[in-house]
Amino acid sequence: MRIWLQCIAVCSWLVSVAVTAENACLPVASNHNWLLAAEHTQYRSNAIFTDTATTQQNLDAILDVQLAYCEWSANLAYHQSWYEAAPAKHKMELKELVWQSSLNTDLPLDITLGKARIDWGLGYIYQPLDIFRPYQGQSLNSLAEQGTGIIALSAFDAVGEWSLVFSDPSWATNKDPAAIQTGSRPTLGLRHYRLQGDDEYIGQLSYDKDRHITLGAGWTRGVGDSLHLYSSALWQQNHRAYMLPTGLLAPVTAHKQAAGRQFMLGLNWADAVGQTVILEFAYDSRAWSHQQWANAFKRLDHLSSLPGTEPLRQSYALGFKHQHIVRQNLTLHWSFAALAWSNWHWSQNQVWLRQLSPSLDIVYAPQDRGYIATPGLSWQWHQSDKQELKLNWSVRYFAGPSHASYANMAQQRQMLINLTGHF
Amino acid sequence: MFDLYLSSKWMLTIIWLLLLPTLIQAQAPIQGQPSNKDIARMLQRADSYRVPYQASRSVSVVQVFVQGVLQKTRQYHVYSRGNGDVLVIFKSKAEAGQKMLMVDHHYWLMMPKSRRPIRITPMQKLLGDASVGDLSTIVWEQSYQAQWQATEQLQNLDGVMVNTEKLQLRAKHKNVSYANITLWLDATSHFPVKADLYLTSGKLAKQVWYQASQDNSQLRVASMGFSDLLQSGKHTIINYQQVTPIKLQDKYYNPAFLSRNALSGL
């Protein structure tokens, strides 16, 4: 299948070159993003992660280049990492190489061929409808993610779109940590989008060998000048998940499961002062339930008292490898626009404040009261007509009661300082 | 006592007779007050200076000043569908790849690293870094209900006294950025002179002064100067450098089309 897709990509390139020879194109456009990030992680030691508590420092440098020429676009990235206690690594990635064009047929069809990222999600944090290799939304330190092999046909009118997409995830060379649930097989999907008055509607259907049939729907509505409401849901015929063993002395292993359901409800609110609030509730039946996590911790407590059970206990770490760690999540994002400091007399003359934007993200598991909190500050260091330089600082805490799943993750605390630039 | 009663009654009658003409005058139409048809015509003319073609592309340059110091200059290509829908392509190197779409008072923003547009509220549009939202010129006549208020003399930015018609505009739709606008139009040409833009909360958000130029002997808005009253000390000037009639296919105003490569060449 992959060879077949690659042949199509090469053929489309030849066709587009022939077409390009006849039609004048703008010169090659390029955009460059770079990132220099220093990260410090404090790991915890518990029944699952049995190493004594350690820390790790690493430094990452990424140069990301986007190129566009006629109907072609490409995204390349060079990534270099230095670790405190391991040899440095580097890699070059072709994240996207896409040809998009309109077909001159009776039907108004648009075509997409190549390695591309297709995002069918809705909302900001939880995106059940994003079925083609979804974003890792909680990542502190990422630029664009890799595309998959794509053949897509789309029909657009003034307010809607029908699209038929074939996606082959094997084209992505980097590993998706939650691949067991995010779709690692070629997928065929059909989607309809429609804008109707204040509302947007999405309906989608897909098939792949892991999930079999998936059915999804989404909706969003603007309410007044400050609020958006949105919601989406996905049902899948099958799913894979890591399951707790029936016996105490057996490890956690992956199994094929019956239907899976995901649901998300969110709002996005902004005020005239400059505050933005995003609040999302998400439910994912594929994650371990509160009861399953409680059983897991009970077993771990028991296993900890037995000698030689370390590998068994470590297998429980697979519970953290699902797309969502707990079934119910409530997420709050708050940010404050830098220019909004001019709202108050005391801050109006503090020019330095006008470059500073604070933010706070909290992921809360209502069933076990575990949480991940990420306060952050963003400093617009330099801004000109041709380039931008931004310094970001954030700290992430994984905490909660002793048997909360977020309080038992490998990471206990992370601090990140990064410098991002655009030219 | 009775005399006192009679004299006070006479006094009241005299006061009533004296006030009567004033009361009658207050209820009669003010001399020179335009009819609703005239007000609609005024707004249409005012719009024609801002949105001169049915469907067009304007090359706009935005300069952002903070405390009087030029912070940045940005260039945008603004495509108007002719019905109020607007597609903004960000052309400056620092913002390359960004796009904003306004359809029927709803807004979407496309960021360069993203592969789908995000819907933003009209309030988030206002809080944009370079007042990009104000590039999406709303057709007043379509979006607002106008009411004539007075004929006023207004001193423009050049210090010249201008005779103006003062109009009060109230939004017909609930999700426009500015719920109310106080608008001063030149009394003769109905060219927009000044506008005060108010949020739904009643807060004065921005004050705009319009500058005119002659383009092929046609009077048109050449620039708009926005004083931001939400972010004090911020002043934005939007210059329209080039306006040409161009009609894009309908799909270009479809939010789902924003991620297509075809928009990069606009």
Side-chain angles (χ1 to χ4, degrees):
Chain A
M1 188 62 77
R2 189 173 171 178
I3 290 168
W4 183 60
L5 274 166
Q6 283 167 340
C7 287
I8 288 176
V10 172
C11 291
S12 66
W13 180 74
L14 290 170
V15 170
S16 77
V17 167
V19 172
T20 307
E22 291 174 16
N23 300 324
C25 283
L26 294 171
V28 176
S30 65
N31 284 309
H32 307 80
N33 290 287
W34 58 268
L35 178 146
L36 195 61
E39 191 173 338
H40 171 91
T41 307
Q42 167 96 50
Y43 291 96
R44 76 176 88 235
S45 177
N46 58 18
I48 305 171
F49 304 102
T50 49
D51 289 343
T52 51
T54 55
T55 58
Q56 185 180 296
Q57 274 87 233
N58 57 288
L59 188 67
D60 290 276
I62 301 173
L63 176 66
D64 183 279
V65 182
Q66 284 188 302
L67 300 165
Y69 179 67
C70 281
E71 294 166 322
W72 282 89
S73 64
N75 185 189
L76 296 133
Y78 177 76
H79 190 163
Q80 173 87 45
S81 299
W82 296 270
Y83 301 95
E84 187 188 19
K89 281 184 195 168
H90 66 94
K91 62 181 172 185
M92 181 73 116
E93 290 178 320
L94 176 66
K95 294 185 167 188
E96 286 186 294
L97 179 61
V98 197
W99 176 63
Q100 286 188 331
S101 187
S102 294
L103 297 178
N104 295 319
T105 58
D106 293 339
L107 277 171
L109 287 177
D110 285 81
I111 188 167
T112 300
L113 285 175
K115 185 175 181 179
R117 281 184 294 125
I118 300 277
D119 184 351
W120 278 6
L122 173 78
Y124 297 86
I125 301 148
Y126 300 104
Q127 299 176 24
L129 301 182
D130 191 13
I131 56 167
F132 304 116
R133 206 166 198 276
Y135 283 87
Q136 293 163 31
Q138 303 298 324
S139 174
L140 270 180
N141 188 13
S142 68
L143 284 176
E145 297 186 31
Q146 281 208 26
T148 59
I150 293 288
I151 305 171
L153 279 174
S154 302
F156 294 94
D157 59 20
V159 289
E161 178 201 8
W162 280 99
S163 55
L164 182 66
V165 175
F166 176 79
S167 162
D168 181 356
S170 68
W171 280 40
T173 53
N174 60 348
K175 204 180 164 196
D176 181 355
I180 188 172
Q181 291 187 333
T182 54
S184 54
R185 299 292 194 100
T187 305
L188 183 68
L190 176 71
R191 178 186 189 253
H192 181 56
Y193 162 85
R194 185 142 295 270
L195 169 65
Q196 201 168 327
D198 292 343
D199 301 290
E200 290 172 88
Y201 299 99
I202 293 165
Q204 68 183 55
L205 173 70
S206 75
Y207 179 82
D208 66 69
K209 281 187 176 172
D210 277 343
R211 295 173 283 197
H212 291 189
I213 294 169
T214 76
L215 265 172
W219 159 85
T220 178
R221 165 175 277 202
V223 183
D225 62 355
S226 304
L227 183 67
H228 273 155
L229 298 173
Y230 50 90
S231 181
S232 62
L234 186 88
W235 172 87
Q236 59 190 85
Q237 195 176 7
N238 288 305
H239 75 279
R240 283 173 62 76
Y242 297 108
M243 297 305 294
L244 293 174
T246 44
L248 181 68
L249 296 175
V252 173
T253 47
H255 291 274
K256 194 173 175 180
Q257 298 290 305
R261 294 171 303 282
Q262 293 175 70
F263 168 77
M264 178 273 285
L265 178 69
L267 66 84
N268 169 20
W269 172 84
D271 70 0
V273 174
Q275 296 185 95
T276 297
V277 172
I278 295 168
L279 188 64
E280 287 188 7
F281 170 78
Y283 172 81
D284 185 352
S285 73
R286 303 167 307 163
W288 282 359
S289 67
H290 178 52
Q291 191 57 50
Q292 280 172 304
W293 273 114
N295 286 344
F297 288 124
K298 208 168 163 184
R299 287 176 185 210
L300 284 162
D301 287 344
H302 195 173
L303 286 170
S304 297
S305 62
L306 303 174
T309 56
E310 211 175 283
L312 269 181
R313 283 185 274 138
Q314 284 170 355
S315 75
Y316 283 73
L318 292 170
F320 296 110
K321 297 272 184 191
H322 289 134
Q323 193 176 4
H324 299 120
I325 293 166
V326 290
R327 281 203 178 164
Q328 293 181 30
N329 271 301
L330 191 64
T331 301
L332 170 79
H333 164 84
W334 169 85
S335 62
F336 188 73
L339 279 166
W341 292 108
S342 61
N343 280 290
W344 300 284
H345 285 296
W346 67 268
S347 56
Q348 270 174 9
N349 295 322
Q350 308 294 322
V351 179
W352 65 275
L353 266 179
R354 295 191 177 207
Q355 321 293 327
L356 196 68
S357 175
S359 65
L360 175 67
D361 291 85
I362 297 174
V363 179
Y364 177 67
Q367 291 181 299
D368 65 14
R369 291 177 285 125
Y371 64 90
I372 303 172
T374 315
L377 279 175
S378 183
W379 169 264
Q380 185 83 51
W381 191 351
H382 171 73
Q383 195 176 37
S384 71
D385 301 344
K386 292 188 175 167
Q387 54 185 311
E388 277 187 348
L389 208 59
K390 204 180 258 186
L391 187 65
N392 304 294
W393 169 87
S394 53
V395 185
R396 180 166 286 180
Y397 300 94
F398 302 78
S402 60
H403 279 177
S405 45
Y406 289 145
N408 282 279
M409 291 179 72
Q411 306 93 325
Q412 185 170 12
R413 194 165 51 236
Q414 281 179 303
M415 187 167 78
L416 180 86
I417 298 172
N418 74 28
L419 191 62
T420 57
H422 179 86
F423 63 95
Chain B
M1 180 61 97
F2 185 66
D3 286 345
L4 188 65
Y5 171 71
L6 266 183
S7 66
S8 64
K9 197 177 176 186
W10 272 109
M11 280 293 282
L12 280 170
T13 312
I14 289 162
I15 290 168
W16 171 248
L17 287 170
L18 283 170
L19 279 176
L20 193 60
T22 321
L23 291 168
I24 290 167
Q25 200 177 357
Q27 283 168 7
I30 296 165
Q31 198 180 5
Q33 180 176 341
S35 66
N36 286 345
K37 221 173 185 178
D38 291 335
I39 296 168
R41 208 170 296 132
M42 276 185 208
L43 268 192
Q44 270 174 10
R45 284 192 78 189
D47 278 327
S48 73
Y49 300 119
R50 301 159 62 238
V51 195
Y53 300 99
Q54 274 297 301
S56 64
R57 184 188 81 157
S58 62
V59 176
S60 305
V61 173
V62 175
Q63 293 170 296
V64 181
F65 298 84
V66 175
Q67 311 285 24
V69 179
L70 178 65
Q71 275 224 325
K72 56 195 162 192
T73 305
R74 298 280 187 260
Q75 195 184 67
Y76 304 93
H77 289 179
V78 183
Y79 290 82
S80 299
R81 200 184 203 174
N83 65 346
D85 297 347
V86 170
L87 172 65
V88 181
I89 310 289
F90 296 53
K91 300 306 282 189
S92 293
K93 193 79 183 164
E95 296 178 330
Q98 291 186 45
K99 298 147 203 165
M100 195 192 74
L101 177 68
M102 182 188 86
V103 176
D104 198 18
H105 307 293
H106 301 297
Y107 299 88
W108 291 266
L109 188 67
M110 184 79 201
M111 299 302 287
K113 303 304 288 179
S114 166
R115 287 299 171 268
R116 72 178 159 96
I118 51 165
R119 192 163 171 177
I120 56 171
T121 63
M123 195 61 78
Q124 282 170 313
K125 182 208 75 166
L126 276 184
L127 295 167
D129 206 20
S131 296
V132 180
D134 292 311
L135 287 165
S136 51
T137 312
I138 286 172
V139 182
W140 288 325
E141 203 260 328
Q142 287 173 3
S143 305
Y144 289 90
Q145 191 71 48
Q147 209 174 18
W148 183 86
Q149 284 206 319
T151 300
E152 268 187 17
Q153 278 222 320
L154 192 69
Q155 189 177 28
N156 70 13
L157 290 179
D158 301 324
V160 179
M161 294 305 286
V162 185
N163 284 326
T164 63
E165 303 285 0
K166 186 180 174 186
L167 302 181
Q168 191 61 44
L169 273 56
R170 191 183 303 153
K172 292 177 188 172
H173 310 271
K174 62 183 183 302
N175 46 4
V176 295
S177 302
Y178 306 113
N180 289 292
I181 298 176
T182 308
L183 181 64
W184 287 264
L185 302 179
D186 182 279
T188 316
S189 64
H190 299 143
F191 186 89
V193 180
K194 183 192 169 190
D196 285 349
L197 313 175
Y198 294 87
L199 303 178
T200 315
S201 61
K203 200 172 182 178
L204 177 59
K206 288 178 188 175
Q207 200 163 62
V208 195
W209 287 90
Y210 298 86
Q211 290 284 311
S213 79
Q214 292 281 341
D215 184 17
N216 297 327
S217 74
Q218 292 257 316
L219 190 65
R220 68 175 185 91
V221 172
S223 71
M224 301 187 288
F226 288 79
S227 293
D228 197 323
L229 301 164
L230 296 176
Q231 299 168 12
S232 83
K234 188 181 166 195
H235 187 77
T236 308
I237 297 175
I238 299 177
N239 288 290
Y240 295 115
Q241 290 197 330
Q242 191 187 15
V243 184
T244 42
I246 287 177
K247 192 174 190 312
L248 293 177
Q249 291 175 57
D250 280 345
K251 66 183 179 182
Y252 282 83
Y253 296 96
N254 179 339
F257 197 73
L258 278 176
S259 61
R260 305 290 298 182
N261 284 350
L263 277 80
S264 310
L266 293 178

